[in-house]
Amino acid sequence: MSIQAKIRDNRTEFMRPAATVMDVSRLGCLYPYPLSFMRSLLRRVMTQNWQIKPANISLDDEGYGHAIYEITTPRAVFSYVIFAKYLNPENRSDRVIAEDWDMTVTLCEGQVDTERLAKLKANVPLQEKGRVDTSCFVLSRANKSVRNFESVVTSLAAGQQPDLDAMAKVGYLYRTTAVYGSGKFGMADWDKVKSRWPDFGSPFDAEMFSCWMIRHFSLVQADHVAAKRSPETAVEMDEKIKRYVGIGNATGLGMAPYLINHPLLINNWIEVRETALARVLSMTVPDEIKRGHFICLALKAMQHLNEISTDNEDQNTLNANARKDLEQALKWFESDNISAWYELTDYAASHLSVEARELLNVLLLELYPDLISDLKDQLCVDEIYSLQANMRLDDLKKLIETHYAWALDIDYSDPKTQGIFWYRSEEKMEPRLGRRFEEPGAASEMLLGIGWYVCACYTDLCEFIVLHSAKTTTARFVFAHPQHRYITRRMQTMAKTRYGEIRINAIDLDVLPIQLLRCKLSFFGVGKFDPRSRMWVRNTMFQGAPLVSDIGSNIGDTWCFPIRPTVE
Amino acid sequence: MDGQAELYLSLNELRALLRRTYEALYHHGYDFAVMARSCLWLEVHGFDGIGLILRSLDDLETPCREIKLSETSQNQFVLNGYGRCLIPFVNAAADLAIGSAEENGFGQIDIINVFGRLNILAALKKTARLNLYSTAIWYDAGEARTHILWLNSSKDLPDYYILDESKDGPWGQSGLRFVCSKTADIISENVNVVLPHDAVPYKTCEQLARAHDLVLENGIPISVEAYSKLNKIADRLLVPSTDASRRGAGE
């Protein structure tokens, strides 16, 4: 078969089936890719040459005080406002229920004068207990990695660069513990952000920008404190090391309900990703240049995996196996002169772990950014889950059997399959898991066990059809069973999509919410996953990313799989 | 809105609060998400959706909900609410007429013996999305005024008319008629029976759209008292914190 014949125009042929893609265990193996939100955002910041200037910096010798940065984009001026303070170590917690932080921030429209600064100062440090107005569109906070921050400052103050071993182990100076947007606490709604401030009009642009600025300030603060501590000897941190410093993040259960409650959006994100992969597989060939790029990138990814340090043995094993698998794939690739990339993915499908296969897919996507970059504009979707009132019940029944067979296959008579319930705690409404048959609170459970609701609806639907007629309408069914109206319109809507729902039984006793977390974080662009339990994960954002001072330089979008820098 | 507006909520914030409020009232027995959206829709267009909830609380808190549906023809329904608030079943009731209109070109439901009839507004918004024409007509005996919502062209929102007079109809003293159709003339026929040709809308669809834009820009004003009342209901969903529950957060 000729190369041309192999490189098929029909991309649909390369779109993986929903049963493969939407399996939650696979989604829990996703890696960041070129259209991940922080990557797309920084490409735009760099190519549009955004100007980020300190407008009002007032810090004491310990780096406490406030800092305002003015951001000029092609369309508007924004301000990033930071409040840094001393935090009693006893109060330092990554949990959402914490009430005090080392750093609190907001991103807002326009410039900030004295009066506005005073209002922000009275509210931003309070976070959930404060109120801001609709000129603000991100509210966030971060805590120091105390040991690492102090170690870095001590080194810099002594005229030395930070210990790279320690930096490689931790990877950041500050850790964000919550990043709020979309109208929380009085902020601007997403619809306003999207329409009024298109510079932040892609999903999570503003939130990612905020994390990038926290990372920037953490570096500024470390240099500042070192210089104040020892003006005679202090040096600034080397720029290569600065780029290697990311921003830590702790993500818990709060992120998981988002994925289940926004199936249209998640379908869209997945479809964009799969379309990108299908384009690469169907439209490109591994010529000499791309072969070389691929080998370099694979080696970098292996080194990246090798350098990840976590105390979680399962994650260490996953990383080690992925690296080993990638090494095996690379050997095969170098010994076999393939004529199409899908030969490599076919090889991976039969020889490598799921983790390694997803990693390999990302390597291919990294080779052809220009081929897929336009897809970033398709990440947004208006989420409307409208009831199709006139759908005949036999059609509805068939729809469920076709698109929700995965849910109907769950045996809910087994207590284990509904052993967990999700609820909101009275502590800041923090989402938590309870054991259904052992702990109180199931009567207040959140609507997240989609499979269970599908099965309950299906059972009543079958009964209704027997009692009435298969030819009657969905409207009559949901009028008689109003408890099924939500799940019915959801199923009708999702059945029209290519990928549909994430296939997860979120109320199973053995559910692994961390798989959902990693899926979403990969779309953010987050790497270096460090699971602390099945319910929360530490990770690193923006490691290897350009610095604010890199804007205007020719630094490229090549910071995936960050590796330890070489510093002379 | 009664009381002084002291707090501005974003649409998303209010939507989330309303969802939790309805979820706390009914758990998952009704489509709490769409109920919240209907109320939000009223609020953002200046129709005091929150006040409507708070004034209806006694009824909404009463669990037994006996309503009776009958079909007078394939496309026409009558629903007796037996004096209950319309909020919990307005969307499912409107679905019946909408489904018939999509299927047969025309659908109608007369909902009698209910209160909180302004909640039908969101159903007209839905018909707009489905490229249907629609109207809702009711007579408020308390105010001696007739209300007409009329989605009469390919707009996203209806015009809202209020007449200072009683107009007889099947809606009676405490009911409403909701009609939707694939063609404009059927809706016009229904409306023209009660609406004078020279009537001026109380709110035009353009005014409603501007009201939405305004709250998107500045947030929705809500009295601290109303906000507190809604939160008090919504907080029934919260589960007390224990050592076991903290383990359920990953500790």
Side-chain angles (χ1 to χ4, degrees):
Chain A
M1 189 187 291
S2 70
I3 292 175
Q4 285 71 23
K6 286 181 177 178
I7 306 307
R8 284 158 276 196
D9 286 336
N10 187 359
R11 289 196 298 275
T12 306
E13 198 173 327
F14 287 92
M15 298 290 277
R16 296 188 290 178
T20 301
V21 174
M22 300 308 280
D23 180 78
V24 71
S25 60
R26 179 179 292 268
L27 293 174
C29 293
L30 293 185
Y31 284 81
Y33 80 123
L35 301 185
S36 291
F37 307 145
M38 60 178 68
R39 294 277 299 280
S40 295
L41 170 75
L42 283 198
R43 274 198 301 275
R44 202 160 65 251
V45 169
M46 302 299 281
T47 56
Q48 294 180 348
N49 202 23
W50 290 19
Q51 299 298 301
I52 301 173
K53 306 287 182 199
N56 177 351
I57 310 287
S58 174
L59 301 175
D60 67 14
D61 289 358
E62 294 300 318
Y64 305 138
H66 70 256
I68 304 173
Y69 290 90
E70 199 169 286
I71 300 116
T72 308
T73 69
R75 297 182 181 91
V77 173
F78 303 91
S79 291
Y80 193 74
V81 184
I82 299 164
F83 300 101
K85 57 171 281 194
Y86 169 76
L87 177 64
N88 185 333
E90 288 177 4
N91 296 334
R92 186 173 287 109
S93 166
D94 286 353
R95 294 278 300 280
V96 76
I97 58 175
E99 298 201 338
D100 209 0
W101 304 271
D102 288 299
M103 186 198 306
T104 52
V105 301
T106 188
L107 175 62
C108 55
E109 179 191 32
Q111 294 168 320
V112 174
D113 59 17
T114 310
E115 186 184 351
R116 197 171 172 201
L117 179 62
K119 278 186 189 168
L120 292 173
K121 192 175 181 181
N123 286 283
V124 172
L126 300 178
Q127 296 283 290
E128 292 94 339
K129 288 186 175 173
R131 296 292 300 177
V132 290
D133 62 31
T134 56
S135 68
C136 296
F137 51 112
V138 174
L139 187 70
S140 181
R141 70 284 191 113
N143 283 336
K144 273 178 185 157
S145 168
V146 179
R147 203 168 41 179
N148 207 33
F149 189 89
E150 185 52 36
S151 162
V152 165
V153 167
T154 302
S155 297
L156 294 175
Q160 296 167 352
Q161 289 302 319
D163 176 7
L164 269 179
D165 287 336
M167 193 57 79
K169 182 164 175 53
V170 180
Y172 49 80
L173 302 177
Y174 270 80
R175 212 166 33 234
T176 62
T177 65
V179 186
Y180 294 115
S182 297
K184 298 267 173 57
F185 317 116
M187 285 188 285
D189 274 295
W190 167 240
D191 282 345
K192 178 178 177 180
V193 174
K194 204 167 41 168
S195 56
R196 280 282 302 274
W197 306 311
D199 294 312
F200 295 101
S202 293
F204 294 95
D205 268 351
E207 289 87 343
M208 295 299 105
F209 183 78
S210 178
C211 293
W212 190 56
M213 289 301 293
I214 289 175
R215 178 231 204 185
H216 172 68
F217 181 75
S218 74
L219 297 167
V220 168
Q221 193 187 37
D223 277 342
H224 171 87
V225 176
K228 293 292 181 187
R229 194 174 290 180
S230 182
E232 305 290 318
T233 58
V235 293
E236 288 199 351
M237 196 187 299
D238 185 284
E239 288 210 331
K240 283 183 186 169
I241 301 178
K242 281 186 175 175
R243 286 190 199 97
Y244 189 54
V245 176
I247 176 75
N249 174 258
T251 293
L253 285 180
M255 195 177 266
Y258 184 92
L259 272 82
I260 295 176
N261 288 332
H262 297 273
L264 262 183
L265 184 66
I266 303 308
N267 165 79
N268 214 43
W269 292 359
I270 298 288
E271 188 167 352
V272 163
R273 190 181 177 114
E274 291 299 314
T275 303
L277 182 61
R279 277 189 188 179
V280 170
L281 293 177
S282 66
M283 297 169 70
T284 68
V285 290
D287 58 27
E288 274 313 300
I289 293 173
K290 291 298 180 187
R291 282 179 67 91
H293 283 175
F294 174 77
I295 292 168
C296 288
L297 200 54
L299 291 170
K300 189 183 178 195
M302 285 193 286
Q303 187 178 339
H304 168 81
L305 289 170
N306 212 26
E307 289 178 357
I308 294 177
S309 171
T310 144
D311 297 330
N312 185 295
E313 280 310 311
D314 291 344
Q315 188 64 45
N316 281 334
T317 304
L318 278 175
N319 291 339
N321 288 343
R323 183 173 47 77
K324 200 171 137 194
D325 277 1
L326 193 52
E327 196 173 359
Q328 178 188 329
L330 196 54
K331 274 185 190 162
W332 178 84
F333 177 75
E334 288 178 308
S335 66
D336 196 330
N337 197 18
I338 62 171
S339 54
W341 287 115
Y342 66 75
E343 292 177 40
L344 179 60
T345 54
D346 285 351
Y347 170 83
S350 54
H351 291 84
L352 308 187
S353 63
V354 173
E355 179 100 9
R357 275 182 259 165
E358 293 307 325
L359 177 58
L360 203 59
N361 289 339
V362 167
L363 297 184
L364 295 179
L365 292 167
E366 293 287 354
L367 294 179
Y368 299 96
D370 294 342
L371 187 64
I372 63 175
S373 60
D374 63 300
L375 292 169
K376 73 180 187 316
D377 299 328
Q378 296 175 28
L379 288 165
C380 285
V381 64
D382 285 332
E383 289 192 271
I384 297 171
Y385 302 88
S386 196
L387 187 88
Q388 293 168 247
N390 63 331
M391 182 181 277
R392 303 279 177 175
L393 292 188
D394 49 358
D395 290 333
L396 178 61
K397 182 168 177 280
K398 193 174 170 191
L399 178 153
I400 298 172
E401 289 161 351
T402 305
H403 296 275
Y404 285 84
W406 63 270
L408 298 179
D409 283 345
I410 300 170
D411 176 11
Y412 283 106
S413 65
D414 178 355
K416 178 183 167 297
T417 59
Q418 46 177 318
I420 287 290
F421 67 98
W422 295 65
Y423 65 91
R424 305 168 184 89
S425 159
E426 65 179 2
E427 287 184 296
K428 282 197 184 180
M429 291 196 280
E430 184 182 56
R432 292 180 181 172
L433 302 187
R435 287 175 177 258
R436 186 181 304 277
F437 304 111
E438 298 166 28
E439 296 171 31
S444 300
E445 87 175 291
M446 298 163 76
L447 201 165
L448 295 175
I450 297 305
W452 189 93
Y453 291 95
V454 168
C455 288
C457 177
Y458 182 77
T459 302
D460 285 342
L461 175 65
C462 292
E463 193 177 305
F464 193 86
I465 287 173
V466 171
L467 290 174
H468 299 86
S469 158
K471 298 298 173 194
T472 193
T473 61
T474 295
R476 289 180 174 87
F477 171 63
V478 297
F479 186 86
H481 292 280
Q483 74 274 23
H484 298 318
R485 190 178 188 278
Y486 167 75
I487 197 68
T488 301
R489 63 186 171 87
R490 176 174 174 138
M491 290 188 295
Q492 288 177 324
T493 302
M494 294 313 296
K496 294 177 192 166
T497 64
R498 178 184 282 275
Y499 286 108
E501 303 260 1
I502 294 177
R503 299 179 181 203
I504 180 174
N505 178 17
I507 57 173
D508 190 278
L509 192 61
D510 296 329
V511 66
L512 293 174
I514 200 168
Q515 294 174 327
L516 292 172
L517 307 187
R518 178 161 164 188
C519 170
K520 190 175 177 194
L521 289 168
S522 76
F523 279 99
F524 284 5
V526 172
K528 289 201 168 176
F529 302 101
D530 179 10
R532 313 300 289 186
S533 78
R534 69 169 170 157
M535 294 177 237
W536 72 285
V537 59
R538 280 187 178 159
N539 50 78
T540 311
M541 311 169 79
F542 289 110
Q543 193 171 30
L547 303 168
V548 167
S549 58
D550 287 327
I551 297 174
S553 68
N554 289 325
I555 201 159
D557 177 30
T558 55
W559 52 281
C560 57
F561 304 111
I563 53 175
R564 188 175 154 147
T566 307
V567 181
E568 293 172 6
Chain B
M1 173 65 58
D2 293 331
Q4 193 181 357
E6 293 179 82
L7 196 60
Y8 280 78
L9 302 186
S10 71
L11 274 70
N12 193 34
E13 209 171 11
L14 181 57
R15 184 187 299 116
L17 175 58
L18 291 168
R19 281 176 67 126
R20 283 186 286 114
T21 300
Y22 284 125
E23 197 179 351
L25 284 169
Y26 299 114
H27 194 44
H28 304 149
Y30 289 93
D31 188 345
F32 61 87
V34 84
M35 290 164 75
R37 200 172 63 218
S38 299
C39 178
L40 181 74
W41 201 87
L42 286 177
E43 196 65 35
V44 300
H45 293 100
F47 295 126
D48 192 18
I50 293 171
L52 210 52
I53 293 179
L54 295 177
R55 288 193 298 276
S56 309
L57 265 185
D58 283 348
D59 181 82
L60 297 177
E61 296 265 26
T62 308
C64 180
R65 190 161 298 285
E66 288 181 17
I67 54 175
K68 185 180 176 188
L69 178 71
S70 49
E71 298 190 33
T72 53
S73 76
Q74 194 183 9
N75 304 325
Q76 293 173 302
F77 304 83
V78 176
L79 177 65
N80 191 335
Y82 295 112
R84 306 304 299 265
C85 176
L86 188 56
I87 289 176
F89 50 89
V90 62
N91 293 295
D95 289 338
L96 293 164
I98 291 170
S100 292
E102 286 188 294
E103 187 71 10
N104 307 313
F106 162 76
Q108 172 184 300
I109 185 163
D110 291 328
I111 308 174
I112 57 173
N113 293 325
V114 291
F115 68 94
R117 288 166 287 180
L118 204 49
N119 277 287
I120 195 68
L121 267 164
L124 280 93
K125 170 89 172 159
K126 180 176 177 180
T127 61
R129 209 167 51 236
L130 297 170
N131 294 318
L132 296 172
Y133 301 87
S134 60
T135 184
I137 305 169
W138 70 95
Y139 171 64
D140 187 324
E143 296 177 341
R145 299 202 292 190
T146 303
H147 297 250
I148 301 144
L149 289 161
W150 187 8
L151 188 78
N152 63 356
S153 64
S154 56
K155 293 175 180 171
D156 289 339
L157 296 163
D159 291 319
Y160 185 13
Y161 296 84
I162 299 179
L163 307 178
D164 288 325
E165 56 186 312
S166 162
K167 292 289 182 183
D168 290 337
W171 41 83
Q173 302 276 311
S174 57
L176 73 83
R177 167 166 284 185
F178 173 63
V179 190
C180 47
S181 166
K182 284 183 177 173
T183 58
D185 54 343
I186 291 178
I187 302 302
S188 301
E189 284 169 18
N190 274 272
V191 172
N192 289 337
V193 171
V194 291
L195 187 69
H197 289 298
D198 56 352
V200 177
Y202 163 61
K203 298 273 187 191
T204 64
C205 56
E206 290 81 8
Q207 287 172 312
L208 296 181
R210 277 198 295 277
H212 173 272
D213 292 345
L214 196 65
V215 296
L216 188 62
E217 180 63 30
N218 301 318
I220 302 171
I222 176 172
S223 76
V224 170
E225 187 187 359
Y227 182 66
S228 169
K229 282 180 180 170
L230 288 180
N231 269 300
K232 200 172 169 188
I233 300 167
D235 285 352
R236 293 178 200 165
L237 287 172
L238 303 181
V239 175
S241 202
T242 62
D243 287 345
S245 81
R246 289 190 191 97
R247 284 196 295 278
E251 270 190 357

